[in-house]
mmCIF file of all heavy atoms in Angstrom:
data_model
loop_
_atom_site.group_PDB
_atom_site.id
_atom_site.type_symbol
_atom_site.label_atom_id
_atom_site.label_comp_id
_atom_site.label_asym_id
_atom_site.label_seq_id
_atom_site.Cartn_x
_atom_site.Cartn_y
_atom_site.Cartn_z
ATOM 1 N N MET A 6 17.180 16.675 -45.865
ATOM 2 C CA MET A 6 16.937 15.793 -44.756
ATOM 3 C C MET A 6 17.041 14.320 -45.149
ATOM 4 O O MET A 6 17.628 13.476 -44.435
ATOM 5 C CB MET A 6 15.600 16.019 -44.110
ATOM 6 C CG MET A 6 15.453 17.427 -43.523
ATOM 7 S SD MET A 6 16.552 17.619 -42.067
ATOM 8 C CE MET A 6 15.743 16.556 -40.899
ATOM 9 N N THR A 7 16.532 13.932 -46.292
ATOM 10 C CA THR A 7 16.672 12.596 -46.909
ATOM 11 C C THR A 7 18.111 12.219 -47.092
ATOM 12 O O THR A 7 18.633 11.152 -46.701
ATOM 13 C CB THR A 7 15.878 12.481 -48.160
ATOM 14 O OG1 THR A 7 14.462 12.809 -47.913
ATOM 15 C CG2 THR A 7 15.881 10.987 -48.677
ATOM 16 N N ALA A 8 18.800 13.192 -47.667
ATOM 17 C CA ALA A 8 20.223 12.987 -47.970
ATOM 18 C C ALA A 8 21.049 12.840 -46.629
ATOM 19 O O ALA A 8 21.849 11.972 -46.431
ATOM 20 C CB ALA A 8 20.826 14.064 -48.846
ATOM 21 N N LYS A 9 20.761 13.735 -45.699
ATOM 22 C CA LYS A 9 21.425 13.684 -44.374
ATOM 23 C C LYS A 9 21.177 12.326 -43.656
ATOM 24 O O LYS A 9 22.081 11.820 -42.917
ATOM 25 C CB LYS A 9 20.998 14.844 -43.524
ATOM 26 C CG LYS A 9 21.609 16.143 -43.799
ATOM 27 C CD LYS A 9 21.137 17.308 -43.013
ATOM 28 C CE LYS A 9 21.664 17.216 -41.523
ATOM 29 N NZ LYS A 9 23.037 17.622 -41.491
ATOM 30 N N ALA A 10 19.982 11.807 -43.750
ATOM 31 C CA ALA A 10 19.641 10.622 -43.120
ATOM 32 C C ALA A 10 20.523 9.396 -43.610
ATOM 33 O O ALA A 10 20.707 8.415 -42.872
ATOM 34 C CB ALA A 10 18.163 10.211 -43.290
ATOM 35 N N GLN A 11 21.072 9.561 -44.743
ATOM 36 C CA GLN A 11 21.987 8.561 -45.304
ATOM 37 C C GLN A 11 23.481 8.984 -45.209
ATOM 38 O O GLN A 11 24.347 8.491 -45.946
ATOM 39 C CB GLN A 11 21.638 8.256 -46.747
ATOM 40 C CG GLN A 11 20.195 7.902 -46.981
ATOM 41 C CD GLN A 11 19.904 6.677 -46.260
ATOM 42 O OE1 GLN A 11 20.653 5.696 -46.238
ATOM 43 N NE2 GLN A 11 18.617 6.567 -45.744
ATOM 44 N N ASN A 12 23.730 9.961 -44.334
ATOM 45 C CA ASN A 12 25.093 10.480 -44.039
ATOM 46 C C ASN A 12 25.757 11.239 -45.158
ATOM 47 O O ASN A 12 26.983 11.299 -45.238
ATOM 48 C CB ASN A 12 26.019 9.301 -43.628
ATOM 49 C CG ASN A 12 25.524 8.569 -42.389
ATOM 50 O OD1 ASN A 12 25.201 9.298 -41.327
ATOM 51 N ND2 ASN A 12 25.444 7.269 -42.357
ATOM 52 N N ALA A 13 24.922 11.773 -46.064
ATOM 53 C CA ALA A 13 25.442 12.611 -47.086
ATOM 54 C C ALA A 13 25.786 14.025 -46.501
ATOM 55 O O ALA A 13 25.201 14.445 -45.566
ATOM 56 C CB ALA A 13 24.490 12.786 -48.288
ATOM 57 N N THR A 14 26.802 14.676 -47.073
ATOM 58 C CA THR A 14 27.111 16.051 -46.734
ATOM 59 C C THR A 14 26.132 16.861 -47.482
ATOM 60 O O THR A 14 25.806 16.756 -48.629
ATOM 61 C CB THR A 14 28.601 16.371 -47.179
ATOM 62 O OG1 THR A 14 29.458 15.541 -46.365
ATOM 63 C CG2 THR A 14 28.926 17.796 -46.795
ATOM 64 N N THR A 15 25.707 18.000 -46.805
ATOM 65 C CA THR A 15 24.671 18.811 -47.394
ATOM 66 C C THR A 15 25.176 20.242 -47.405
ATOM 67 O O THR A 15 25.760 20.752 -46.483
ATOM 68 C CB THR A 15 23.324 18.802 -46.651
ATOM 69 O OG1 THR A 15 23.521 19.124 -45.259
ATOM 70 C CG2 THR A 15 22.774 17.395 -46.743
ATOM 71 N N VAL A 16 24.968 20.921 -48.498
ATOM 72 C CA VAL A 16 25.387 22.325 -48.692
ATOM 73 C C VAL A 16 24.298 23.181 -49.283
ATOM 74 O O VAL A 16 23.560 22.808 -50.147
ATOM 75 C CB VAL A 16 26.576 22.359 -49.710
ATOM 76 C CG1 VAL A 16 27.034 23.819 -49.964
ATOM 77 C CG2 VAL A 16 27.743 21.519 -49.244
ATOM 78 N N GLU A 17 24.123 24.372 -48.692
ATOM 79 C CA GLU A 17 23.199 25.340 -49.166
ATOM 80 C C GLU A 17 23.896 26.546 -49.784
ATOM 81 O O GLU A 17 24.741 27.108 -49.106
ATOM 82 C CB GLU A 17 22.213 25.841 -48.067
ATOM 83 C CG GLU A 17 21.216 26.836 -48.483
ATOM 84 C CD GLU A 17 20.378 27.314 -47.367
ATOM 85 O OE1 GLU A 17 20.799 28.129 -46.608
ATOM 86 O OE2 GLU A 17 19.188 26.884 -47.306
ATOM 87 N N ILE A 18 23.554 26.915 -51.048
ATOM 88 C CA ILE A 18 24.121 28.110 -51.637
ATOM 89 C C ILE A 18 22.897 29.014 -51.908
ATOM 90 O O ILE A 18 21.998 28.645 -52.737
ATOM 91 C CB ILE A 18 24.879 27.770 -52.970
ATOM 92 C CG1 ILE A 18 25.956 26.795 -52.621
ATOM 93 C CG2 ILE A 18 25.367 29.050 -53.678
ATOM 94 C CD1 ILE A 18 26.813 26.345 -53.902
ATOM 95 N N ASN A 19 22.866 30.222 -51.289
ATOM 96 C CA ASN A 19 21.797 31.063 -51.417
ATOM 97 C C ASN A 19 22.067 32.469 -51.035
ATOM 98 O O ASN A 19 23.028 32.679 -50.344
ATOM 99 C CB ASN A 19 20.519 30.556 -50.357
ATOM 100 C CG ASN A 19 19.229 30.813 -50.999
ATOM 101 O OD1 ASN A 19 19.054 31.449 -52.062
ATOM 102 N ND2 ASN A 19 18.183 30.332 -50.339
ATOM 103 N N LEU A 20 21.257 33.382 -51.452
ATOM 104 C CA LEU A 20 21.487 34.780 -51.135
ATOM 105 C C LEU A 20 21.403 34.996 -49.604
ATOM 106 O O LEU A 20 22.171 35.784 -48.974
ATOM 107 C CB LEU A 20 20.525 35.744 -51.761
ATOM 108 C CG LEU A 20 20.863 36.175 -53.205
ATOM 109 C CD1 LEU A 20 19.695 36.947 -53.780
ATOM 110 C CD2 LEU A 20 22.109 36.936 -53.192
ATOM 111 N N LYS A 21 20.489 34.162 -48.986
ATOM 112 C CA LYS A 21 20.417 34.291 -47.481
ATOM 113 C C LYS A 21 20.006 32.896 -47.018
ATOM 114 O O LYS A 21 19.312 32.153 -47.744
ATOM 115 C CB LYS A 21 19.413 35.333 -47.020
ATOM 116 C CG LYS A 21 18.066 35.228 -47.604
ATOM 117 C CD LYS A 21 17.180 36.380 -47.135
ATOM 118 C CE LYS A 21 15.885 36.424 -47.817
ATOM 119 N NZ LYS A 21 15.009 37.630 -47.389
ATOM 120 N N SER A 22 20.477 32.597 -45.780
ATOM 121 C CA SER A 22 20.169 31.243 -45.272
ATOM 122 C C SER A 22 18.707 30.966 -45.110
ATOM 123 O O SER A 22 17.950 31.890 -44.783
ATOM 124 C CB SER A 22 20.875 31.076 -43.925
ATOM 125 O OG SER A 22 20.487 29.849 -43.278
ATOM 126 N N THR A 23 18.238 29.750 -45.351
ATOM 127 C CA THR A 23 16.893 29.426 -45.160
ATOM 128 C C THR A 23 16.675 28.850 -43.719
ATOM 129 O O THR A 23 15.579 28.450 -43.264
ATOM 130 C CB THR A 23 16.457 28.225 -46.079
ATOM 131 O OG1 THR A 23 17.402 27.075 -45.852
ATOM 132 C CG2 THR A 23 16.600 28.720 -47.574
ATOM 133 N N ASN A 24 17.774 28.956 -42.917
ATOM 134 C CA ASN A 24 17.756 28.519 -41.448
ATOM 135 C C ASN A 24 17.407 27.056 -41.358
ATOM 136 O O ASN A 24 16.905 26.551 -40.376
ATOM 137 C CB ASN A 24 16.696 29.341 -40.633
ATOM 138 C CG ASN A 24 17.030 30.758 -40.576
ATOM 139 O OD1 ASN A 24 18.187 31.128 -40.360
ATOM 140 N ND2 ASN A 24 16.066 31.681 -40.735
ATOM 141 N N SER A 25 17.793 26.328 -42.435
ATOM 142 C CA SER A 25 17.698 24.795 -42.362
ATOM 143 C C SER A 25 18.955 24.241 -41.828
ATOM 144 O O SER A 25 20.003 24.994 -41.682
ATOM 145 C CB SER A 25 17.465 24.317 -43.727
ATOM 146 O OG SER A 25 16.222 24.886 -44.286
ATOM 147 N N ASN A 26 18.976 22.953 -41.574
ATOM 148 C CA ASN A 26 20.165 22.338 -40.817
ATOM 149 C C ASN A 26 21.123 21.757 -41.884
ATOM 150 O O ASN A 26 21.445 20.569 -41.794
ATOM 151 C CB ASN A 26 19.587 21.311 -39.840
ATOM 152 C CG ASN A 26 20.647 20.754 -38.934
ATOM 153 O OD1 ASN A 26 21.633 21.474 -38.621
ATOM 154 N ND2 ASN A 26 20.532 19.608 -38.472
ATOM 155 N N PHE A 27 21.532 22.555 -42.791
ATOM 156 C CA PHE A 27 22.587 22.055 -43.768
ATOM 157 C C PHE A 27 23.955 21.989 -43.069
ATOM 158 O O PHE A 27 24.190 22.663 -42.010
ATOM 159 C CB PHE A 27 22.693 23.015 -44.960
ATOM 160 C CG PHE A 27 21.598 22.846 -45.961
ATOM 161 C CD1 PHE A 27 20.404 23.526 -45.755
ATOM 162 C CD2 PHE A 27 21.848 22.118 -47.063
ATOM 163 C CE1 PHE A 27 19.408 23.396 -46.676
ATOM 164 C CE2 PHE A 27 20.806 21.926 -48.064
ATOM 165 C CZ PHE A 27 19.631 22.639 -47.845
ATOM 166 N N ASP A 28 24.840 21.192 -43.499
ATOM 167 C CA ASP A 28 26.156 21.105 -42.973
ATOM 168 C C ASP A 28 26.961 22.355 -43.244
ATOM 169 O O ASP A 28 27.781 22.780 -42.415
ATOM 170 C CB ASP A 28 26.938 19.869 -43.436
ATOM 171 C CG ASP A 28 26.251 18.551 -43.077
ATOM 172 O OD1 ASP A 28 25.955 18.392 -41.868
ATOM 173 O OD2 ASP A 28 26.054 17.724 -44.018
ATOM 174 N N THR A 29 26.790 22.893 -44.445
ATOM 175 C CA THR A 29 27.574 24.055 -44.896
ATOM 176 C C THR A 29 26.630 25.048 -45.561
ATOM 177 O O THR A 29 25.797 24.655 -46.344
ATOM 178 C CB THR A 29 28.673 23.677 -45.857
ATOM 179 O OG1 THR A 29 29.621 22.766 -45.149
ATOM 180 C CG2 THR A 29 29.452 24.918 -46.345
ATOM 181 N N TYR A 30 26.794 26.307 -45.248
ATOM 182 C CA TYR A 30 26.074 27.426 -45.735
ATOM 183 C C TYR A 30 26.998 28.302 -46.620
ATOM 184 O O TYR A 30 28.012 28.739 -46.063
ATOM 185 C CB TYR A 30 25.331 28.249 -44.818
ATOM 186 C CG TYR A 30 24.465 27.487 -43.868
ATOM 187 C CD1 TYR A 30 24.935 26.959 -42.623
ATOM 188 C CD2 TYR A 30 23.082 27.233 -44.169
ATOM 189 C CE1 TYR A 30 24.211 26.254 -41.762
ATOM 190 C CE2 TYR A 30 22.301 26.489 -43.270
ATOM 191 C CZ TYR A 30 22.926 25.990 -42.065
ATOM 192 O OH TYR A 30 22.097 25.227 -41.210
ATOM 193 N N ILE A 31 26.628 28.668 -47.872
ATOM 194 C CA ILE A 31 27.395 29.614 -48.615
ATOM 195 C C ILE A 31 26.370 30.775 -48.994
ATOM 196 O O ILE A 31 25.400 30.459 -49.727
ATOM 197 C CB ILE A 31 27.971 28.945 -49.868
ATOM 198 C CG1 ILE A 31 28.929 27.877 -49.555
ATOM 199 C CG2 ILE A 31 28.754 30.051 -50.672
ATOM 200 C CD1 ILE A 31 29.556 27.119 -50.685
ATOM 201 N N THR A 32 26.660 31.875 -48.458
ATOM 202 C CA THR A 32 25.755 33.020 -48.656
ATOM 203 C C THR A 32 26.320 33.997 -49.706
ATOM 204 O O THR A 32 27.185 34.728 -49.486
ATOM 205 C CB THR A 32 25.536 33.786 -47.341
ATOM 206 O OG1 THR A 32 25.156 32.819 -46.323
ATOM 207 C CG2 THR A 32 24.406 34.905 -47.529
ATOM 208 N N ASP A 33 25.756 33.868 -50.940
ATOM 209 C CA ASP A 33 26.231 34.716 -52.025
ATOM 210 C C ASP A 33 25.317 34.544 -53.166
ATOM 211 O O ASP A 33 24.430 33.654 -53.212
ATOM 212 C CB ASP A 33 27.645 34.306 -52.385
ATOM 213 C CG ASP A 33 28.342 35.406 -53.261
ATOM 214 O OD1 ASP A 33 27.730 36.443 -53.469
ATOM 215 O OD2 ASP A 33 29.483 35.189 -53.621
ATOM 216 N N ARG A 34 25.502 35.280 -54.222
ATOM 217 C CA ARG A 34 24.798 35.164 -55.480
ATOM 218 C C ARG A 34 25.218 33.808 -56.133
ATOM 219 O O ARG A 34 26.380 33.396 -56.098
ATOM 220 C CB ARG A 34 25.061 36.265 -56.425
ATOM 221 C CG ARG A 34 24.550 37.606 -55.991
ATOM 222 C CD ARG A 34 25.206 38.799 -56.816
ATOM 223 N NE ARG A 34 24.955 38.632 -58.213
ATOM 224 C CZ ARG A 34 23.900 39.191 -58.863
ATOM 225 N NH1 ARG A 34 22.974 39.874 -58.225
ATOM 226 N NH2 ARG A 34 23.773 39.024 -60.186
ATOM 227 N N ALA A 35 24.234 33.113 -56.774
ATOM 228 C CA ALA A 35 24.592 31.834 -57.421
ATOM 229 C C ALA A 35 25.658 32.013 -58.496
ATOM 230 O O ALA A 35 26.505 31.148 -58.693
ATOM 231 C CB ALA A 35 23.386 31.234 -57.958
ATOM 232 N N SER A 36 25.572 33.144 -59.244
ATOM 233 C CA SER A 36 26.503 33.292 -60.401
ATOM 234 C C SER A 36 27.895 33.479 -59.932
ATOM 235 O O SER A 36 28.833 33.259 -60.664
ATOM 236 C CB SER A 36 26.006 34.448 -61.127
ATOM 237 O OG SER A 36 26.001 35.682 -60.327
ATOM 238 N N SER A 37 28.092 33.850 -58.647
ATOM 239 C CA SER A 37 29.423 33.961 -58.073
ATOM 240 C C SER A 37 29.846 32.701 -57.304
ATOM 241 O O SER A 37 30.984 32.141 -57.478
ATOM 242 C CB SER A 37 29.478 35.177 -57.096
ATOM 243 O OG SER A 37 29.267 36.327 -57.788
ATOM 244 N N ALA A 38 29.001 32.256 -56.474
ATOM 245 C CA ALA A 38 29.321 31.105 -55.553
ATOM 246 C C ALA A 38 29.410 29.759 -56.268
ATOM 247 O O ALA A 38 30.212 28.921 -55.973
ATOM 248 C CB ALA A 38 28.285 31.013 -54.434
ATOM 249 N N VAL A 39 28.479 29.508 -57.230
ATOM 250 C CA VAL A 39 28.422 28.272 -57.844
ATOM 251 C C VAL A 39 29.665 27.813 -58.600
ATOM 252 O O VAL A 39 30.211 26.772 -58.512
ATOM 253 C CB VAL A 39 27.139 28.029 -58.681
ATOM 254 C CG1 VAL A 39 27.231 26.735 -59.556
ATOM 255 C CG2 VAL A 39 25.946 28.025 -57.820
ATOM 256 N N PRO A 40 30.110 28.777 -59.508
ATOM 257 C CA PRO A 40 31.323 28.452 -60.297
ATOM 258 C C PRO A 40 32.550 28.260 -59.295
ATOM 259 O O PRO A 40 33.370 27.295 -59.550
ATOM 260 C CB PRO A 40 31.566 29.733 -61.145
ATOM 261 C CG PRO A 40 30.297 30.275 -61.340
ATOM 262 C CD PRO A 40 29.543 30.040 -60.032
ATOM 263 N N MET A 41 32.769 29.014 -58.279
ATOM 264 C CA MET A 41 33.793 28.910 -57.339
ATOM 265 C C MET A 41 33.700 27.578 -56.555
ATOM 266 O O MET A 41 34.691 26.767 -56.567
ATOM 267 C CB MET A 41 33.732 30.103 -56.301
ATOM 268 C CG MET A 41 34.997 30.058 -55.418
ATOM 269 S SD MET A 41 34.918 31.510 -54.315
ATOM 270 C CE MET A 41 34.835 32.942 -55.455
#
């Protein structure tokens, strides 16, 4: 939220969404999604 308030793009990478207001959600294991 602090980052978004300054117009930063926000991304969540997690096994399942936290239902937060990120700009982009990537739902997968970190070991797969982070390198990609």
